[in-house]
Amino acid sequence: MKLDRLVAKHRSLGRTGAQRAIATGRVRVAGEIVVDGHHPVDRYDHVSLDDETLQEGMPALYVMLHKPAGILSATSDPEHPTVIDLIDHPLRATLHLAGRLDRASSGLVLLTNDGRWSKKLTAPGEKVAKVYLVETAEPIAPEAVEAFARGFYFHTEDLTTLPAQLEILAPRQARVTLHEGRYHQIKRMFHRVNNRVTSLHRESVGPYTLPGDLAPGAWRLLTLDD
């Protein structure tokens, strides 16, 4: 929303009166005088006119959660517990997920009420790295490393996956780094190399890494500096 629209909405000034009030330095956004009526504002901005608060500004929340297996990556579900059910915060109803995990998978889940932040983490064009620890039913063939790096064609979506990094850690354990998030992607990729995923755990998303002291089911608030 543009600043002049917000000011006009909260006071009976009309659009012209709101623009005049802004141009004469009577309006502050986050404590700073703004004289441009086209200045963008959102629900997180505190806006005042002549020291009268027009919009309080909703606090932006950023949450890191260690999802256990069996919990749904959803905000609500009539049958199964969700990640939101694990969060004890008065504003938890405002949260949405910045990327999901399958119900059977565990690991890092990020939630927020800031759509701009979540979009940067989830938009395909951003190619944010996501790292997973994977265990498999059979030993991982060495040639799978090159196959993951080449990418796999998925005929259902008519696309080829982006190059992925496969690091073999043990005969049946590997670390996989993706830069996209297709449906059941890691399971489908291992199926292509004649193997089956038995455990999938997300370790990190972009700059955010699941800390070792955050127990399954536990969460904590983040700041953008974390």
Side-chain angles (χ1 to χ4, degrees):
M1 180 183 291
K2 299 295 190 293
L3 180 58
D4 57 357
R5 289 187 60 192
L6 185 145
V7 174
K9 176 182 175 182
H10 287 274
R11 291 285 294 271
S12 300
L13 296 174
R15 196 70 174 269
T16 301
Q19 290 172 344
R20 185 180 300 113
I22 295 167
T24 54
R26 295 168 57 197
V27 176
R28 292 176 179 266
V29 178
E32 300 293 332
I33 293 175
V34 175
V35 296
D36 178 8
H38 294 286
H39 182 83
V41 292
D42 57 30
R43 58 181 175 168
Y44 307 106
D45 292 316
H46 182 279
V47 181
S48 62
L49 170 64
D50 296 334
D51 297 324
E52 175 189 352
T53 296
L54 302 183
Q55 177 175 279
E56 191 65 44
M58 177 186 290
L61 294 180
Y62 308 95
V63 175
M64 169 186 285
L65 182 141
H66 186 165
K67 188 186 95 64
I71 302 295
L72 285 182
S73 289
T75 54
S76 64
D77 188 86
E79 297 182 12
H80 304 290
T82 72
V83 290
I84 291 290
D85 296 326
L86 300 176
I87 299 171
D88 182 18
H89 191 282
L91 294 178
R92 72 176 188 174
T94 69
L95 297 172
H96 63 267
L97 287 100
R100 299 173 182 272
L101 273 177
D102 296 340
R103 183 182 173 196
S105 302
S106 64
L108 176 64
V109 168
L110 298 171
L111 303 99
T112 185
N113 57 7
D114 182 350
R116 294 170 299 183
W117 184 75
S118 60
K119 185 176 180 179
K120 289 180 180 178
L121 289 174
T122 59
E126 298 291 339
K127 296 182 174 60
V128 172
K130 294 173 282 289
V131 181
Y132 301 82
L133 187 64
V134 183
E135 295 183 1
T136 61
E138 305 296 334
I140 302 167
E143 54 267 28
V145 174
E146 184 179 348
F148 274 58
R150 285 197 309 265
F152 298 90
Y153 177 71
F154 290 165
H155 65 86
T156 305
E157 296 95 328
D158 189 26
L159 59 84
T160 299
T161 60
L162 294 176
Q165 180 183 352
L166 173 65
E167 179 189 2
I168 299 175
L169 305 175
R172 291 178 173 84
Q173 186 183 70
R175 179 169 285 113
V176 176
T177 302
L178 300 180
H179 296 273
E180 57 187 334
R182 305 294 176 182
Y183 177 71
H184 289 319
Q185 181 171 346
I186 291 179
K187 293 179 180 179
R188 295 165 72 188
M189 293 168 78
F190 272 99
H191 179 72
R192 291 293 185 86
V193 294
N194 302 311
N195 212 330
R196 179 172 59 86
V197 172
T198 59
S199 175
L200 184 65
H201 178 82
R202 186 157 65 196
E203 297 180 317
S204 66
V205 176
Y208 304 99
T209 299
L210 188 68
D213 61 353
L214 193 65
W219 62 278
R220 79 175 195 192
L221 291 175
L222 295 172
T223 68
L224 294 188
D225 294 330
D226 288 332

